[in-house]
Amino acid sequence: MQHLEEQIAHLTRTVEELNTVVTQQQDEIDRLTRRVEMLLQREAERAQEGSGGVVFGDERPPHY
């Protein structure tokens, strides 16, 4: 019986540690998602202003 109690205590500790890691990862994902959205918004605003930007894929820069 004591062996089962030790196992349960160990598993409970492991679940708590994993929960902490997952929570930290979700916070980081949320933070990075906000930053990407902000950068995409900035780039969209820059494109509307016609001030140029980054060339993607097979696009040619305007001076070609």
Side-chain angles (χ1 to χ4, degrees):
M1 189 68 164
Q2 184 176 352
H3 177 68
L4 288 176
E5 290 174 356
E6 290 173 1
Q7 232 178 351
I8 289 171
H10 173 71
L11 291 172
T12 300
R13 190 175 326 115
T14 301
V15 167
E16 289 171 355
E17 291 170 357
L18 288 172
N19 184 55
T20 299
V21 169
V22 169
T23 301
Q24 290 171 346
Q25 289 176 338
Q26 187 60 54
D27 291 343
E28 181 73 3
I29 289 169
D30 292 342
R31 186 179 68 80
L32 292 171
T33 300
R34 284 191 304 272
R35 290 180 84 180
V36 168
E37 288 171 351
M38 178 189 68
L39 291 171
L40 289 172
Q41 182 178 358
R42 274 193 203 166
E43 186 58 31
E45 291 170 359
R46 193 175 313 179
Q48 284 180 345
E49 294 170 0
S51 63
V54 179
V55 176
F56 293 102
D58 294 334
E59 288 183 38
R60 289 186 165 187
H63 60 276
Y64 276 97

